[in-house]
Amino acid sequence: MSIDLIYVIAGAAMLLAAVLPALLERYAVSAAMVLLLLGMGIGLLPLPEGMRLDPLEIRPQIERVAEFTVLVALMGVGLALDRPLDLRRRASWRTWSPTWRLLGIAMPLTIGGVAVLGWGLGLAPAAALLLGAVLAPTDPVLASDVQVAGPAVDLDAAGGSSDDRADDTEGAEDVEDAEDADGSGLGEPVDEKDDVRFALTSEAGLNDGLAFPFVAAALLVAGAGSVSSWAVSSGLHWLAWDLVGKVVVGVVVGVVVGRGLARVAFRSKRPSLRLAEQGEPLLALAALVMTYGASQLLGGYGFLSVFACGMTLRAAERNHDYHRSMHEVVQRLERLLTLVILLLLGMAMTKGVLGELDWRGVLIALALVLVVRPLSGWFSLRVAARRADLPGGLGRKETLAAAFFGVRGIGSLYYLAYAAGEHEFDDERWLWSTVAFTILLSVMVHGTFATPVMRYLEGRRERAAGVGTT
């Protein structure tokens, strides 16, 4: 394949990526499916001289590209979420109920389920735990078909009366829940009406960072030689620092940087620094890079920091149109990066990355996508379930959708590349084959069902709203 042909193919692929979202809106086909299949087709052609797609040879490049793509997606997710989170109000926390359940219950269950299955199929404990941690987080990059569309801005929104109502009723739980139904008591309206999309989006924004402690645990187990040795030598340190300390540092850094940048962009005394008035959207990318670097320097989880920074920026002057501008530039960059990764991943699949795939890898992928994630998600969302008529409450059909659509993608590639750079695993080629096949399966299965299922749920919600107003 000549370099000139590569330019032609790359240009055609970029054009395709631009038109696919609108073109496929009515069909049960996602843009990720088309791009991945296109990459597999390109991979059947001879590669240009010097181009390598072996993940063991280009692991550092995979790690950095996947890392930056996930960071861009996390900033976009943080800016897109309309539902506020006031850490001082219990009512606000309750509207995020599906998120906490998917993170605190479904994610550990998924990690444990995949790890136990891998160990039972002959993987070493460290490799089995790593596979569970790598495949557990849902993806903010490839899940656009089931996520919120972007920040909703209402320039005419009124902001004062809800606080007065909240002050009159604070303290009674049944009244507090009634306030949740229309956003009263949160200081501003809850704009996000689709709880399934909100749950999947907020989960993807947070669990990419929360997978880090379990990847770290797998690396520590690999270094110690066994789970018991790791538990004795560094289990408490892992619990206090990797599982708790780094999470706290990451969130705090993101909030602090986000507040500082928001104060400058929206309320600086110097007009030249009020970027919101200028409409300069590159603040989002500056915030992303600055936040990630600061968090990593302080030992926190940078993924969490970037998401927290995005949410904090979104919370400032919530009805300012500047949020749309920032989200749009981030979304365009994310689309370009996703195009490159999907094409290369598809090419790698027909160039040997699936060469070590065996029945064990196929079984694990099928079990994760069709059994482990749906069951753990369903269990987490149905235990002491929140009333479906309140923000953060899901009906049975909505629960099924939120449990099923746990899309796997770019984050899994990053975590595996990162872990392989920290420790040499005997099963590394098999791990790459299994993770690549799982992503392929997830893209195809979830991409096929996303459009019809989400359309059905939206129609169901509209019909229910119509009945409620008559």
Side-chain angles (χ1 to χ4, degrees):
M1 189 190 308
S2 67
I3 189 67
D4 298 324
L5 182 57
I6 290 178
Y7 276 112
V8 173
I9 293 175
M14 289 182 183
L15 178 61
L16 192 63
V19 302
L20 276 178
L23 186 65
L24 301 175
E25 188 176 1
R26 297 183 177 181
Y27 303 100
V29 179
S30 70
M33 294 169 64
V34 175
L35 291 171
L36 199 56
L37 291 173
L38 177 62
M40 294 175 72
I42 296 173
L44 297 175
L45 303 174
L47 290 178
E49 185 177 354
M51 185 176 183
R52 298 172 299 171
L53 294 175
D54 187 338
L56 272 66
E57 296 182 17
I58 60 171
R59 183 204 55 77
Q61 291 86 342
I62 294 175
E63 180 181 350
R64 293 308 168 205
V65 173
E67 177 184 40
F68 187 66
T69 304
V70 173
L71 288 172
V72 171
L74 291 174
M75 176 57 71
V77 167
L79 290 170
L81 288 173
D82 290 326
R83 183 169 299 176
L85 177 60
D86 187 342
L87 301 180
R88 299 165 297 180
R89 300 192 61 83
R90 184 169 56 177
S92 181
W93 281 85
R94 286 179 172 179
T95 64
W96 283 63
S97 176
T99 310
W100 312 135
R101 291 164 176 268
L102 290 170
L103 294 173
I105 302 174
M107 185 176 176
L109 286 176
T110 301
I111 294 173
V114 173
V116 169
L117 180 59
W119 180 63
L121 293 175
L123 289 181
L129 179 56
L130 176 63
L131 186 62
V134 164
L135 292 177
T138 55
D139 197 70
V141 183
L142 301 184
S144 59
D145 291 333
V146 295
Q147 292 184 352
V148 299
V153 177
D154 181 6
L155 299 178
D156 298 323
S161 61
S162 59
D163 281 330
D164 298 334
R165 290 194 300 271
D167 291 338
D168 293 338
T169 57
E170 200 168 72
E173 291 210 5
D174 54 339
V175 178
E176 190 174 51
D177 276 342
E179 288 178 338
D180 287 349
D182 63 355
S184 305
L186 302 182
E188 52 195 300
V190 175
D191 298 318
E192 190 55 58
K193 303 300 183 184
D194 191 330
D195 281 293
V196 174
R197 290 187 183 275
F198 169 77
L200 292 168
T201 306
S202 55
E203 178 200 13
L206 285 165
N207 67 12
D208 260 317
L210 295 177
F212 257 114
F214 301 97
V215 173
L219 292 172
L220 291 171
V221 171
S226 67
V227 176
S228 58
S229 298
W230 162 70
V232 172
S233 62
S234 56
L236 288 177
H237 179 271
W238 174 84
L239 184 65
W241 177 237
D242 292 281
L243 187 60
V244 178
K246 289 188 174 185
V247 170
V248 173
V249 172
V251 172
V252 169
V253 169
V255 171
V256 170
V257 174
R259 284 183 176 176
L261 292 176
R263 180 170 298 180
V264 171
F266 290 100
R267 296 183 291 275
S268 175
K269 294 181 179 180
R270 293 178 176 270
S272 60
L273 295 179
R274 292 199 294 270
L275 296 178
E277 294 180 1
Q278 303 170 28
E280 176 50 70
L282 291 180
L283 174 66
L285 297 182
L288 181 161
V289 176
M290 186 185 304
T291 305
Y292 187 67
S295 181
Q296 294 294 103
L297 285 174
L298 294 175
Y301 291 133
F303 283 2
L304 281 177
S305 295
V306 170
F307 177 71
C309 180
M311 279 198 60
T312 305
L313 285 171
R314 179 72 182 96
E317 304 292 337
R318 184 170 290 275
N319 285 312
H320 201 294
D321 197 52
Y322 187 47
H323 296 295
R324 269 195 203 138
S325 300
M326 288 193 292
H327 182 263
E328 285 174 3
V329 73
V330 170
Q331 190 177 47
R332 283 181 171 82
L333 179 57
E334 177 190 337
R335 188 176 298 173
L336 178 60
L337 292 169
T338 304
L339 161 71
V340 173
I341 290 180
L342 288 177
L343 287 178
L344 291 176
L345 179 60
M347 292 170 64
M349 287 182 180
T350 48
K351 288 295 183 185
V353 76
L354 297 177
E356 295 296 318
L357 183 67
D358 58 14
W359 67 270
R360 298 178 303 162
V362 173
L363 178 60
I364 289 173
L366 289 170
L368 171 66
V369 173
L370 302 178
V371 180
V372 177
R373 159 65 191 205
L375 286 182
S376 61
W378 170 265
F379 176 76
S380 69
L381 294 170
R382 294 309 298 173
V383 173
R386 185 170 167 81
R387 276 170 42 194
D389 60 330
L390 298 175
L394 298 172
R396 290 186 178 274
K397 293 183 179 180
E398 288 76 12
T399 298
L400 277 173
F404 176 72
F405 286 114
V407 182
R408 268 60 194 172
I410 311 302
S412 297
L413 296 177
Y414 167 74
Y415 279 118
L416 181 54
Y418 167 80
E422 296 293 320
H423 182 85
E424 185 175 341
F425 289 87
D426 294 335
D427 298 313
E428 183 178 348
R429 285 197 178 276
W430 181 87
L431 289 170
W432 279 108
S433 293
T434 300
V435 169
F437 178 74
T438 305
I439 294 173
L440 175 63
L441 178 67
S442 176
V443 167
M444 295 303 167
V445 171
H446 294 132
T448 300
F449 287 99
T451 297
V453 169
M454 300 309 291
R455 187 184 296 136
Y456 167 77
L457 292 177
E458 287 163 3
R460 187 169 182 264
R461 188 174 64 254
E462 290 172 0
R463 288 192 298 271
V467 171
T469 57
T470 57

